Amino acid sequence: MDAFITITGPAAPLLRANVDTDMIIPAQRLIGAGRDGLGRYAFERFRFNADGSESPDFPLNQAPYRASPILLAGENFGCGSSREGAVWALRDLGLRCFIAPSFGDIFYNNCFQNGMLPIRLATADVQRIAEQTAASPSNAYTSVDLERQVVITPNGEEIPFSVDPRKRSALLEGLDEIALTMKRRAEILAWQARDKAARPWAWEGLAL
Amino acid sequence: MPQTLFDKLWAPHVVADLGDDWALLHVDRVLLHDMSGARALTEVGERGYDLARPDLVFATPDHAVSSAPGRTSATFAGGASPIAKLRQRVKETGIRLFDLGQPGHGIVHVMAPELAIVLPGTTLVCGDSHTCTNGGVGALAFGIGASELTHVLATQTLMQRKPRSMRLTFTGTLPAGVTAKDMILAAIGQLGTAGGTGYAVEYAGEAVRALPLEARLTLCNLSIEMGAKMGFVAPDDITVAYVKGRRFAPTGAAWDQAVSAWRNLRSDDGALFDREVTIDASQIAPQITWGTSPEQVAPVTATVPQPASAADRAALDYIGLEAGQPLIGTPVDWVFIGSCTNSRLSDLRDAAGVLRGRKVAPHVTAWVVPGSETVKREAEAEGLHTQFLEAGFQWREPGCALCVCVNGESVPAGKRSVSTSNRNFVGRQGTGARTHLASPAMAAAAALAGAIVDVRSF
């Protein structure tokens, strides 16, 4: 997995609450799909008109935000379905970081699995970054520094954020969780042996 | 120190304490379906890992399958390839598959309790947010993404941070005509779709204790719509009676041991929760959603509320309703009875109970999609299918069908649907489709009336 250290760019505003993963990518696009090439379907019901043309009102279609690495979002961003395709689609679109007051739990975890950083900031802070960006969209840059755990707004203000230390170091080092857990294989096998003795009922009747 | 049910479900599964409330948790059961499951089975192979415990993994195709009578896996052409992939990987890994038309096939969260794949006190995951449904038997069950699922398949464990605990107590007795679906929709209306975010929710109280097991599955199913990955009900006599004798339930001495262990699976007196919420069940009316988020819900007797936010205004615009208009009387074009929320035998009985020889309104397309092959066969054995067919409903094959629309099935744009499923999101039932979530009895009544009605006076 790619390491995440700092990101700088215009922060695209999508401040409506409860943006669900069905909005981020319709499930139909994920039938048999892999991780790559899903960006064209990201927010497709909002990005495109019925005739396939771009909807100019949608922020990610507007000039300074087309290549934004940062998305400013509303409360409960990524709620709903567990589909990891939502994260894959947004990553394929060029996004690496989401800043919102709150996130759907499963989406939040899925971000870290893909080298993406979800940051929880107070609504007022998210709004302020959006306002500073909107004041001069073409040269308003927001930076996210994961090492120092600060967001630097377009006006140069530093807003600290906290992220779970385990998730932070996994992102900074680009760690592979499966490889890490594999090192504990003996511990897992020992747990299973103990559990079979303690809870035989949880293991009975399953032999293939 | 007094422990919560959640502590008792979590602690025994900790293989390693990783600090800061993180744990490497053992996963006792894994469910795979044809979307995220097929993907994770493929990825684990591509990354060069074998499955850690094929005996603990159970697969069934439910999403990308047509529900048309007489369907095969090729009826919906788009599903043919992921299902072929699932079957191929099942063969290579040796895991159990419950394929179309076989006993045991069904929506993952219907077949897992039905076969007692999920047991009280076990941990269970699936790459599906409605995995919380399985908490209805007193298990720690939750949805994860495809990457986490790959980790589970390779290691039989998952790194998780322990959520905070919430107890949602329903006091009193549920009035006639009001169901578990109405209880949880009312709770979501009160707490919001993020009210449970970061929490594991124990449903408790007199009204929960009185619920049959299948209704507890419905209650837990919508935990994720309240933001909570996990929701569960303490196992009791109702749970034990439900589990006993099912295909993967323990037998003999192991059964006795299991039951005695399950008796301890309840929150101790004096256990402390991070959040406690109490709702008076006797005051709950049949609920129906009016917007595009499950929190946009009201008693059916209410009028459409004044929008309180831009999101509310966008929702009303999409759903085609005006603030102030009564919900009752809103014309309906489609009715869907099905999904992992409400497709079990008791749901179908509830819906059939409303029919009383009446017919579906001529302008309404009405579907009944049983949740599993077993539900279908049991419903047919008691003649429910005949009642639905005679009333003008379609009687279809088990699967997710109109809840997720990755199977060639959808509600047409602009059409209004009353659905027993779990999400009224924009486009969820089809591009431009307008969804109102409700209980099976409310949905059946809407089909007959051709409009939203109060099932209590219909």
Side-chain angles (χ1 to χ4, degrees):
Chain A
M1 194 165 66
D2 304 341
F4 183 112
I5 299 166
T6 60
I7 289 288
T8 297
L14 188 71
L15 297 177
R16 94 184 244 187
N18 296 327
V19 169
D20 58 67
T21 54
D22 276 81
M23 289 186 193
I24 297 173
I25 187 166
Q28 297 91 293
R29 298 302 188 184
L30 297 172
I31 304 169
R35 291 171 177 254
D36 301 321
L38 295 171
R40 63 195 144 139
Y41 306 126
F43 293 117
E44 68 172 331
R45 291 198 176 106
F46 305 88
R47 257 166 83 209
F48 303 109
N49 298 314
D51 63 2
S53 61
E54 282 192 358
S55 162
D57 296 339
F58 194 71
L60 293 173
N61 285 338
Q62 294 163 5
Y65 306 130
R66 296 186 85 92
S68 286
I70 301 167
L71 186 74
L72 302 172
E75 275 181 52
N76 208 18
F77 184 72
C79 61
S81 154
S82 62
R83 65 189 67 161
E84 197 161 317
V87 174
W88 300 337
L90 296 177
R91 187 184 163 95
D92 197 49
L93 211 55
L95 290 163
R96 294 296 303 280
C97 176
F98 310 105
I99 304 178
S102 59
F103 293 90
D105 270 346
I106 305 175
F107 177 85
Y108 185 79
N109 281 344
N110 286 343
C111 286
F112 290 103
Q113 296 289 338
N114 291 277
M116 315 265 279
L117 175 63
I119 296 176
R120 296 189 185 106
L121 285 188
T123 304
D125 290 333
V126 181
Q127 296 268 358
R128 205 158 64 255
I129 300 169
E131 282 159 19
Q132 291 179 16
T133 306
S136 143
S138 52
N139 55 6
Y141 291 93
T142 297
S143 291
V144 172
D145 184 335
L146 178 58
E147 220 146 28
R148 293 174 51 224
Q149 298 189 82
V150 289
V151 175
I152 304 160
T153 74
N155 291 5
E157 180 192 348
E158 293 203 348
I159 306 174
F161 65 88
S162 66
V163 59
D164 187 88
R166 166 166 289 273
K167 292 288 185 194
R168 176 174 170 270
S169 57
L171 272 191
L172 286 173
E173 295 161 37
L175 291 181
D176 174 351
E177 282 192 354
I178 297 182
L180 278 182
T181 301
M182 279 296 178
K183 292 184 190 161
R184 294 181 178 271
R185 193 145 179 275
E187 232 176 306
I188 296 167
L189 293 176
W191 184 94
Q192 289 175 336
R194 282 198 308 277
D195 192 62
K196 246 181 181 167
R199 295 190 310 158
W201 52 268
W203 298 85
E204 201 215 48
L206 301 176
L208 288 164
Chain B
M1 202 173 94
Q3 284 190 305
T4 63
L5 168 58
F6 177 46
D7 294 329
K8 294 180 186 182
L9 293 171
W10 179 276
H13 290 94
V14 174
V15 173
D17 183 340
L18 306 174
D20 288 330
D21 289 336
W22 280 86
L24 188 67
L25 271 193
H26 191 263
V27 175
D28 299 339
R29 304 285 189 271
V30 185
L31 304 177
L32 301 176
H33 61 56
D34 48 316
M35 298 284 286
S36 58
R39 182 78 219 145
L41 272 180
T42 302
E43 290 202 5
V44 76
E46 284 170 359
R47 297 188 58 176
Y49 294 113
D50 290 330
L51 263 57
R53 292 295 304 226
D55 55 335
L56 305 182
V57 183
F58 302 78
T60 194
D62 58 3
H63 277 60
V65 295
S66 164
S67 68
R71 61 95 194 275
T72 66
S73 58
T75 305
F76 170 58
S81 145
I83 292 172
K85 189 80 200 172
L86 181 70
R87 287 173 179 157
Q88 179 205 327
R89 289 295 291 144
V90 161
K91 243 182 222 156
E92 289 165 4
T93 56
I95 62 174
R96 288 183 177 85
L97 172 72
F98 298 88
D99 213 337
L100 302 184
Q102 295 177 351
H105 169 260
I107 303 174
V108 270
H109 314 309
V110 176
M111 59 78 87
E114 189 177 274
L115 297 176
I117 290 170
V118 60
L119 296 171
T122 55
T123 48
L124 174 145
V125 303
C126 176
D128 191 289
S129 61
H130 290 109
T131 307
C132 50
T133 310
N134 295 281
V137 304
L140 194 62
F142 55 99
I144 55 179
S147 295
E148 287 185 313
L149 186 54
T150 304
H151 183 285
V152 174
L153 291 175
T155 68
Q156 208 56 41
T157 64
L158 188 62
M159 291 186 202
Q160 284 288 295
R161 187 170 198 179
K162 192 180 180 189
R164 290 170 292 173
S165 62
M166 184 194 298
R167 180 161 60 187
L168 181 44
T169 303
F170 288 93
T171 57
T173 307
L174 209 55
V178 183
T179 67
K181 180 70 164 286
D182 303 301
M183 290 165 73
I184 190 65
L185 282 174
I188 295 166
Q190 183 175 324
L191 297 174
T193 50
T197 303
Y199 291 98
V201 179
E202 178 182 350
Y203 300 99
E206 188 188 342
V208 174
R209 297 261 68 87
L211 290 177
L213 199 286
E214 291 187 351
R216 296 179 186 181
L217 298 170
T218 300
L219 188 72
C220 291
N221 174 269
L222 273 85
S223 299
I224 188 67
E225 262 49 73
M226 201 164 68
K229 259 195 333 192
M230 317 166 181
F232 35 78
V233 175
D236 56 11
D237 290 344
I238 290 173
T239 320
V240 171
Y242 175 88
V243 174
K244 191 170 190 183
R246 290 181 186 267
R247 176 155 170 199
F248 294 107
T251 54
W255 171 258
D256 296 336
Q257 264 180 319
V259 173
S260 91
W262 298 343
R263 295 291 178 206
N264 184 43
L265 291 178
R266 53 177 193 82
S267 290
D268 297 329
D269 293 339
L272 292 178
F273 292 81
D274 296 303
R275 187 171 180 199
E276 290 244 38
V277 177
T278 300
I279 293 176
D280 181 354
S282 71
Q283 297 304 306
I284 298 174
Q287 304 283 305
I288 191 153
T289 60
W290 53 264
T292 56
S293 165
E295 71 183 17
Q296 292 167 328
V297 64
V300 66
T301 48
T303 53
V304 177
Q306 294 298 324
S309 63
D312 284 357
R313 278 188 292 278
L316 286 182
D317 190 42
Y318 180 84
I319 210 85
L321 294 177
E322 303 278 349
Q325 82 178 79
L327 284 161
I328 290 176
T330 306
V332 166
D333 310 298
W334 280 65
V335 165
F336 171 54
I337 297 172
S339 86
C340 59
T341 314
N342 280 131
S343 64
R344 298 177 185 82
L345 189 60
S346 54
D347 298 313
L348 305 191
R349 284 177 182 156
D350 273 3
V354 174
L355 304 179
R356 300 199 303 275
R358 292 177 284 185
K359 303 284 183 203
V360 170
H363 66 278
V364 172
T365 304
W367 287 18
V368 181
V369 181
S372 71
E373 187 64 28
T374 299
V375 170
K376 185 187 163 208
R377 292 182 190 188
E378 288 178 356
E380 288 177 351
E382 56 185 75
L384 295 181
H385 67 311
T386 313
Q387 293 176 46
F388 284 118
L389 286 165
E390 281 174 0
F393 284 84
Q394 295 183 29
W395 177 251
R396 300 178 67 95
E397 301 285 351
C400 300
L402 284 178
C403 175
V404 66
C405 301
V406 291
N407 34 45
E409 296 167 358
S410 60
V411 173
K415 296 295 182 189
R416 187 177 302 285
S417 145
V418 173
S419 176
T420 66
S421 55
N422 40 56
R423 289 189 174 136
N424 52 347
F425 295 163
V426 169
R428 174 82 180 186
Q429 288 198 293
T431 302
R434 295 161 165 172
T435 302
H436 297 270
L437 303 176
S439 72
M442 282 282 287
L448 302 178
I452 294 173
V453 290
D454 185 343
V455 67
R456 295 171 300 182
S457 51
F458 184 73

PDB file of all heavy atoms in Angstrom, chain B residues 354-362 364 386-393 444-450 458:
ATOM      1  N   VAL B 354     -52.964  -9.474   5.771  1.00  0.00           N
ATOM      2  CA  VAL B 354     -53.663  -8.226   5.436  1.00  0.00           C
ATOM      3  C   VAL B 354     -54.597  -8.432   4.238  1.00  0.00           C
ATOM      4  O   VAL B 354     -55.569  -7.701   4.057  1.00  0.00           O
ATOM      5  CB  VAL B 354     -52.610  -7.127   5.113  1.00  0.00           C
ATOM      6  CG1 VAL B 354     -53.268  -5.851   4.608  1.00  0.00           C
ATOM      7  CG2 VAL B 354     -51.743  -6.842   6.336  1.00  0.00           C
ATOM      8  N   LEU B 355     -54.312  -9.459   3.425  1.00  0.00           N
ATOM      9  CA  LEU B 355     -55.001  -9.582   2.122  1.00  0.00           C
ATOM     10  C   LEU B 355     -56.501  -9.822   2.265  1.00  0.00           C
ATOM     11  O   LEU B 355     -57.302  -9.147   1.635  1.00  0.00           O
ATOM     12  CB  LEU B 355     -54.362 -10.720   1.304  1.00  0.00           C
ATOM     13  CG  LEU B 355     -52.844 -10.599   1.078  1.00  0.00           C
ATOM     14  CD1 LEU B 355     -52.332 -11.797   0.280  1.00  0.00           C
ATOM     15  CD2 LEU B 355     -52.500  -9.297   0.354  1.00  0.00           C
ATOM     16  N   ARG B 356     -56.882 -10.813   3.063  1.00  0.00           N
ATOM     17  CA  ARG B 356     -58.295 -11.177   3.293  1.00  0.00           C
ATOM     18  C   ARG B 356     -59.113 -11.163   1.996  1.00  0.00           C
ATOM     19  O   ARG B 356     -60.184 -10.550   1.902  1.00  0.00           O
ATOM     20  CB  ARG B 356     -58.916 -10.237   4.337  1.00  0.00           C
ATOM     21  CG  ARG B 356     -58.194 -10.303   5.691  1.00  0.00           C
ATOM     22  CD  ARG B 356     -59.049  -9.763   6.826  1.00  0.00           C
ATOM     23  NE  ARG B 356     -59.489  -8.397   6.622  1.00  0.00           N
ATOM     24  CZ  ARG B 356     -58.782  -7.304   6.933  1.00  0.00           C
ATOM     25  NH1 ARG B 356     -57.588  -7.431   7.485  1.00  0.00           N
ATOM     26  NH2 ARG B 356     -59.282  -6.106   6.717  1.00  0.00           N
ATOM     27  N   GLY B 357     -58.595 -11.828   0.961  1.00  0.00           N
ATOM     28  CA  GLY B 357     -59.327 -11.987  -0.287  1.00  0.00           C
ATOM     29  C   GLY B 357     -59.344 -10.760  -1.190  1.00  0.00           C
ATOM     30  O   GLY B 357     -59.932 -10.782  -2.263  1.00  0.00           O
ATOM     31  N   ARG B 358     -58.684  -9.677  -0.764  1.00  0.00           N
ATOM     32  CA  ARG B 358     -58.711  -8.459  -1.583  1.00  0.00           C
ATOM     33  C   ARG B 358     -57.636  -8.508  -2.670  1.00  0.00           C
ATOM     34  O   ARG B 358     -56.751  -9.340  -2.650  1.00  0.00           O
ATOM     35  CB  ARG B 358     -58.520  -7.228  -0.683  1.00  0.00           C
ATOM     36  CG  ARG B 358     -59.725  -7.008   0.235  1.00  0.00           C
ATOM     37  CD  ARG B 358     -59.535  -5.845   1.175  1.00  0.00           C
ATOM     38  NE  ARG B 358     -58.652  -6.161   2.289  1.00  0.00           N
ATOM     39  CZ  ARG B 358     -58.415  -5.321   3.307  1.00  0.00           C
ATOM     40  NH1 ARG B 358     -58.992  -4.117   3.318  1.00  0.00           N
ATOM     41  NH2 ARG B 358     -57.619  -5.677   4.303  1.00  0.00           N
ATOM     42  N   LYS B 359     -57.737  -7.606  -3.625  1.00  0.00           N
ATOM     43  CA  LYS B 359     -56.829  -7.614  -4.788  1.00  0.00           C
ATOM     44  C   LYS B 359     -55.896  -6.395  -4.767  1.00  0.00           C
ATOM     45  O   LYS B 359     -56.278  -5.313  -4.316  1.00  0.00           O
ATOM     46  CB  LYS B 359     -57.640  -7.543  -6.095  1.00  0.00           C
ATOM     47  CG  LYS B 359     -58.657  -8.653  -6.256  1.00  0.00           C
ATOM     48  CD  LYS B 359     -58.003  -9.972  -6.652  1.00  0.00           C
ATOM     49  CE  LYS B 359     -59.054 -11.050  -6.869  1.00  0.00           C
ATOM     50  NZ  LYS B 359     -58.511 -12.400  -6.727  1.00  0.00           N
ATOM     51  N   VAL B 360     -54.719  -6.610  -5.353  1.00  0.00           N
ATOM     52  CA  VAL B 360     -53.769  -5.508  -5.560  1.00  0.00           C
ATOM     53  C   VAL B 360     -54.409  -4.495  -6.509  1.00  0.00           C
ATOM     54  O   VAL B 360     -55.042  -4.880  -7.497  1.00  0.00           O
ATOM     55  CB  VAL B 360     -52.458  -6.066  -6.176  1.00  0.00           C
ATOM     56  CG1 VAL B 360     -51.543  -4.950  -6.647  1.00  0.00           C
ATOM     57  CG2 VAL B 360     -51.738  -6.959  -5.168  1.00  0.00           C
ATOM     58  N   ALA B 361     -54.265  -3.209  -6.192  1.00  0.00           N
ATOM     59  CA  ALA B 361     -54.823  -2.150  -7.053  1.00  0.00           C
ATOM     60  C   ALA B 361     -54.277  -2.321  -8.473  1.00  0.00           C
ATOM     61  O   ALA B 361     -53.104  -2.664  -8.641  1.00  0.00           O
ATOM     62  CB  ALA B 361     -54.453  -0.772  -6.494  1.00  0.00           C
ATOM     63  N   PRO B 362     -55.125  -2.089  -9.479  1.00  0.00           N
ATOM     64  CA  PRO B 362     -54.727  -2.407 -10.861  1.00  0.00           C
ATOM     65  C   PRO B 362     -53.462  -1.683 -11.333  1.00  0.00           C
ATOM     66  O   PRO B 362     -52.731  -2.209 -12.159  1.00  0.00           O
ATOM     67  CB  PRO B 362     -55.940  -1.974 -11.703  1.00  0.00           C
ATOM     68  CG  PRO B 362     -57.011  -1.562 -10.758  1.00  0.00           C
ATOM     69  CD  PRO B 362     -56.499  -1.596  -9.361  1.00  0.00           C
ATOM     70  N   VAL B 364     -50.814  -1.063  -9.584  1.00  0.00           N
ATOM     71  CA  VAL B 364     -49.640  -1.373  -8.750  1.00  0.00           C
ATOM     72  C   VAL B 364     -48.971  -2.671  -9.198  1.00  0.00           C
ATOM     73  O   VAL B 364     -49.640  -3.663  -9.457  1.00  0.00           O
ATOM     74  CB  VAL B 364     -50.050  -1.496  -7.261  1.00  0.00           C
ATOM     75  CG1 VAL B 364     -48.884  -2.000  -6.409  1.00  0.00           C
ATOM     76  CG2 VAL B 364     -50.545  -0.152  -6.729  1.00  0.00           C
ATOM     77  N   THR B 386     -50.198 -18.972  -2.852  1.00  0.00           N
ATOM     78  CA  THR B 386     -51.497 -18.938  -3.533  1.00  0.00           C
ATOM     79  C   THR B 386     -52.262 -17.678  -3.141  1.00  0.00           C
ATOM     80  O   THR B 386     -52.861 -17.012  -3.993  1.00  0.00           O
ATOM     81  CB  THR B 386     -52.323 -20.191  -3.143  1.00  0.00           C
ATOM     82  OG1 THR B 386     -51.471 -21.326  -3.269  1.00  0.00           O
ATOM     83  CG2 THR B 386     -53.526 -20.354  -4.038  1.00  0.00           C
ATOM     84  N   GLN B 387     -52.191 -17.356  -1.858  1.00  0.00           N
ATOM     85  CA  GLN B 387     -52.885 -16.128  -1.414  1.00  0.00           C
ATOM     86  C   GLN B 387     -52.308 -14.888  -2.103  1.00  0.00           C
ATOM     87  O   GLN B 387     -53.058 -14.018  -2.545  1.00  0.00           O
ATOM     88  CB  GLN B 387     -52.755 -15.968   0.105  1.00  0.00           C
ATOM     89  CG  GLN B 387     -53.488 -17.039   0.900  1.00  0.00           C
ATOM     90  CD  GLN B 387     -53.236 -16.862   2.404  1.00  0.00           C
ATOM     91  OE1 GLN B 387     -53.312 -15.759   2.937  1.00  0.00           O
ATOM     92  NE2 GLN B 387     -52.929 -17.949   3.079  1.00  0.00           N
ATOM     93  N   PHE B 388     -50.970 -14.836  -2.189  1.00  0.00           N
ATOM     94  CA  PHE B 388     -50.347 -13.675  -2.845  1.00  0.00           C
ATOM     95  C   PHE B 388     -50.698 -13.642  -4.334  1.00  0.00           C
ATOM     96  O   PHE B 388     -51.062 -12.600  -4.886  1.00  0.00           O
ATOM     97  CB  PHE B 388     -48.823 -13.704  -2.664  1.00  0.00           C
ATOM     98  CG  PHE B 388     -48.372 -13.283  -1.281  1.00  0.00           C
ATOM     99  CD1 PHE B 388     -47.674 -14.163  -0.460  1.00  0.00           C
ATOM    100  CD2 PHE B 388     -48.636 -12.008  -0.804  1.00  0.00           C
ATOM    101  CE1 PHE B 388     -47.251 -13.782   0.811  1.00  0.00           C
ATOM    102  CE2 PHE B 388     -48.212 -11.615   0.469  1.00  0.00           C
ATOM    103  CZ  PHE B 388     -47.520 -12.505   1.279  1.00  0.00           C
ATOM    104  N   LEU B 389     -50.586 -14.809  -4.981  1.00  0.00           N
ATOM    105  CA  LEU B 389     -50.848 -14.855  -6.428  1.00  0.00           C
ATOM    106  C   LEU B 389     -52.300 -14.494  -6.729  1.00  0.00           C
ATOM    107  O   LEU B 389     -52.579 -13.722  -7.655  1.00  0.00           O
ATOM    108  CB  LEU B 389     -50.503 -16.248  -6.981  1.00  0.00           C
ATOM    109  CG  LEU B 389     -48.995 -16.541  -7.094  1.00  0.00           C
ATOM    110  CD1 LEU B 389     -48.740 -18.042  -7.293  1.00  0.00           C
ATOM    111  CD2 LEU B 389     -48.360 -15.734  -8.234  1.00  0.00           C
ATOM    112  N   GLU B 390     -53.214 -15.011  -5.927  1.00  0.00           N
ATOM    113  CA  GLU B 390     -54.635 -14.706  -6.166  1.00  0.00           C
ATOM    114  C   GLU B 390     -54.939 -13.226  -5.952  1.00  0.00           C
ATOM    115  O   GLU B 390     -55.825 -12.667  -6.589  1.00  0.00           O
ATOM    116  CB  GLU B 390     -55.530 -15.574  -5.256  1.00  0.00           C
ATOM    117  CG  GLU B 390     -55.670 -16.985  -5.831  1.00  0.00           C
ATOM    118  CD  GLU B 390     -56.417 -17.935  -4.905  1.00  0.00           C
ATOM    119  OE1 GLU B 390     -56.827 -17.508  -3.800  1.00  0.00           O
ATOM    120  OE2 GLU B 390     -56.565 -19.115  -5.294  1.00  0.00           O
ATOM    121  N   ALA B 391     -54.171 -12.600  -5.063  1.00  0.00           N
ATOM    122  CA  ALA B 391     -54.381 -11.166  -4.818  1.00  0.00           C
ATOM    123  C   ALA B 391     -53.760 -10.312  -5.916  1.00  0.00           C
ATOM    124  O   ALA B 391     -54.040  -9.113  -6.003  1.00  0.00           O
ATOM    125  CB  ALA B 391     -53.791 -10.781  -3.469  1.00  0.00           C
ATOM    126  N   GLY B 392     -52.881 -10.919  -6.737  1.00  0.00           N
ATOM    127  CA  GLY B 392     -52.258 -10.155  -7.821  1.00  0.00           C
ATOM    128  C   GLY B 392     -50.803  -9.807  -7.582  1.00  0.00           C
ATOM    129  O   GLY B 392     -50.216  -9.013  -8.319  1.00  0.00           O
ATOM    130  N   PHE B 393     -50.192 -10.400  -6.542  1.00  0.00           N
ATOM    131  CA  PHE B 393     -48.749 -10.219  -6.328  1.00  0.00           C
ATOM    132  C   PHE B 393     -47.987 -11.195  -7.229  1.00  0.00           C
ATOM    133  O   PHE B 393     -48.496 -12.268  -7.559  1.00  0.00           O
ATOM    134  CB  PHE B 393     -48.356 -10.565  -4.879  1.00  0.00           C
ATOM    135  CG  PHE B 393     -48.714  -9.519  -3.864  1.00  0.00           C
ATOM    136  CD1 PHE B 393     -49.994  -9.470  -3.316  1.00  0.00           C
ATOM    137  CD2 PHE B 393     -47.778  -8.596  -3.434  1.00  0.00           C
ATOM    138  CE1 PHE B 393     -50.334  -8.525  -2.362  1.00  0.00           C
ATOM    139  CE2 PHE B 393     -48.098  -7.646  -2.463  1.00  0.00           C
ATOM    140  CZ  PHE B 393     -49.379  -7.610  -1.933  1.00  0.00           C
ATOM    141  N   ALA B 444     -48.131  -4.519   2.199  1.00  0.00           N
ATOM    142  CA  ALA B 444     -49.231  -5.278   1.596  1.00  0.00           C
ATOM    143  C   ALA B 444     -50.481  -4.402   1.500  1.00  0.00           C
ATOM    144  O   ALA B 444     -51.179  -4.393   0.483  1.00  0.00           O
ATOM    145  CB  ALA B 444     -49.515  -6.526   2.427  1.00  0.00           C
ATOM    146  N   ALA B 445     -50.742  -3.647   2.562  1.00  0.00           N
ATOM    147  CA  ALA B 445     -51.928  -2.770   2.565  1.00  0.00           C
ATOM    148  C   ALA B 445     -51.803  -1.703   1.472  1.00  0.00           C
ATOM    149  O   ALA B 445     -52.783  -1.396   0.782  1.00  0.00           O
ATOM    150  CB  ALA B 445     -52.086  -2.122   3.939  1.00  0.00           C
ATOM    151  N   ALA B 446     -50.594  -1.174   1.286  1.00  0.00           N
ATOM    152  CA  ALA B 446     -50.383  -0.159   0.242  1.00  0.00           C
ATOM    153  C   ALA B 446     -50.627  -0.746  -1.149  1.00  0.00           C
ATOM    154  O   ALA B 446     -51.159  -0.071  -2.036  1.00  0.00           O
ATOM    155  CB  ALA B 446     -48.965   0.403   0.343  1.00  0.00           C
ATOM    156  N   ALA B 447     -50.258  -2.030  -1.320  1.00  0.00           N
ATOM    157  CA  ALA B 447     -50.473  -2.676  -2.621  1.00  0.00           C
ATOM    158  C   ALA B 447     -51.965  -2.779  -2.918  1.00  0.00           C
ATOM    159  O   ALA B 447     -52.412  -2.519  -4.039  1.00  0.00           O
ATOM    160  CB  ALA B 447     -49.830  -4.060  -2.627  1.00  0.00           C
ATOM    161  N   LEU B 448     -52.750  -3.143  -1.910  1.00  0.00           N
ATOM    162  CA  LEU B 448     -54.194  -3.314  -2.111  1.00  0.00           C
ATOM    163  C   LEU B 448     -54.863  -1.960  -2.351  1.00  0.00           C
ATOM    164  O   LEU B 448     -55.693  -1.806  -3.240  1.00  0.00           O
ATOM    165  CB  LEU B 448     -54.823  -3.991  -0.887  1.00  0.00           C
ATOM    166  CG  LEU B 448     -54.263  -5.374  -0.502  1.00  0.00           C
ATOM    167  CD1 LEU B 448     -54.961  -5.886   0.752  1.00  0.00           C
ATOM    168  CD2 LEU B 448     -54.407  -6.373  -1.636  1.00  0.00           C
ATOM    169  N   ALA B 449     -54.478  -0.979  -1.543  1.00  0.00           N
ATOM    170  CA  ALA B 449     -55.121   0.337  -1.617  1.00  0.00           C
ATOM    171  C   ALA B 449     -54.623   1.145  -2.808  1.00  0.00           C
ATOM    172  O   ALA B 449     -55.282   2.081  -3.256  1.00  0.00           O
ATOM    173  CB  ALA B 449     -54.868   1.110  -0.324  1.00  0.00           C
ATOM    174  N   GLY B 450     -53.408   0.799  -3.288  1.00  0.00           N
ATOM    175  CA  GLY B 450     -52.811   1.610  -4.347  1.00  0.00           C
ATOM    176  C   GLY B 450     -52.316   2.938  -3.829  1.00  0.00           C
ATOM    177  O   GLY B 450     -52.058   3.873  -4.586  1.00  0.00           O
ATOM    178  N   PHE B 458     -57.210  -0.730   8.012  1.00  0.00           N
ATOM    179  CA  PHE B 458     -57.398  -1.103   6.607  1.00  0.00           C
ATOM    180  C   PHE B 458     -57.909  -2.528   6.508  1.00  0.00           C
ATOM    181  O   PHE B 458     -57.249  -3.451   6.906  1.00  0.00           O
ATOM    182  CB  PHE B 458     -56.071  -0.957   5.842  1.00  0.00           C
ATOM    183  CG  PHE B 458     -56.200  -1.238   4.378  1.00  0.00           C
ATOM    184  CD1 PHE B 458     -56.830  -0.322   3.534  1.00  0.00           C
ATOM    185  CD2 PHE B 458     -55.739  -2.425   3.837  1.00  0.00           C
ATOM    186  CE1 PHE B 458     -56.963  -0.589   2.174  1.00  0.00           C
ATOM    187  CE2 PHE B 458     -55.874  -2.694   2.476  1.00  0.00           C
ATOM    188  CZ  PHE B 458     -56.487  -1.765   1.641  1.00  0.00           C
TER     189      PHE B 458
END
